[in-house]
Amino acid sequence: MSVEEKLAALGLSLPQPVEPMANYVTAVLDGPMIYTAGAGPMVEGKPKYIGRVGAEVSLEQGYEAARITALNLLSTIKSRIGDLDRVERIVKVLGFVNSDNDFHRQPEVINGASDLFVELFGERGKHARSAVGTSNLPMNIPVEIEMIVRFKAD
């Protein structure tokens, strides 16, 4: 089953790739590697959730925000390499969680992305990861994630 067939089986689809919001590109290809810029839980050009996890945003909403962010990242990757089945390995995921001062469950939030990657790619989706708490993120989004992916050359 292809990655996009797995997405459909989960009732999910890829959104349009998000455009950069400043002077950067959303992904850089370097040989068989793609490095993404940070992405957030944008739906139709607007943040799905706003606020700090543990305050205005629940753990469950933070998990969902990470899952939405993962879909945005996959959309960006597909726009650069043409087919998600070319992904050989998700190498590294770096997740930032806009956290309330007393919130310490950042890894559980970023699992929203990690769980989706493993559901879609199996062993190829298992990755090294950091989940970092921060005091704020752009537009007050609860989650920002970037990743490094190795893909099959043409």
Side-chain angles (χ1 to χ4, degrees), residues 29-97:
L29 295 173
D30 185 14
M33 306 295 284
I34 186 165
Y35 299 80
T36 72
M42 307 301 282
V43 175
E44 297 179 6
K46 298 179 182 172
K48 171 74 174 177
Y49 299 101
I50 293 178
R52 291 180 173 189
V53 180
E56 302 86 7
V57 177
S58 70
L59 172 64
E60 295 76 19
Q61 290 170 320
Y63 179 97
E64 179 63 20
R67 196 168 174 93
I68 292 167
T69 301
L71 290 171
N72 285 325
L73 288 164
L74 292 175
S75 176
T76 295
I77 290 167
K78 181 182 176 187
S79 76
R80 297 306 194 283
I81 67 171
D83 183 352
L84 291 176
D85 290 318
R86 290 181 63 197
V87 170
E88 286 186 339
R89 181 73 190 241
I90 296 176
V91 177
K92 173 77 176 176
V93 171
L94 174 58
F96 299 93
V97 180

Side-chain angles (χ1 to χ4, degrees), residues 94-98 109-110 130-134 137 142-146:
L94 174 58
F96 299 93
V97 180
N98 184 2
V109 172
I110 301 304
S130 298
V132 180
T134 186
L137 287 171
V143 173
E144 183 174 338
I145 301 172
E146 63 181 53

Side-chain angles (χ1 to χ4, degrees), residues 19-41:
E19 294 295 321
M21 298 186 307
N23 189 18
Y24 65 93
V25 294
T26 55
V28 171
L29 295 173
D30 185 14
M33 306 295 284
I34 186 165
Y35 299 80
T36 72

Side-chain angles (χ1 to χ4, degrees), residues 126-138:
K126 292 185 178 178
H127 50 272
R129 186 183 88 182
S130 298
V132 180
T134 186
S135 63
N136 208 336
L137 287 171

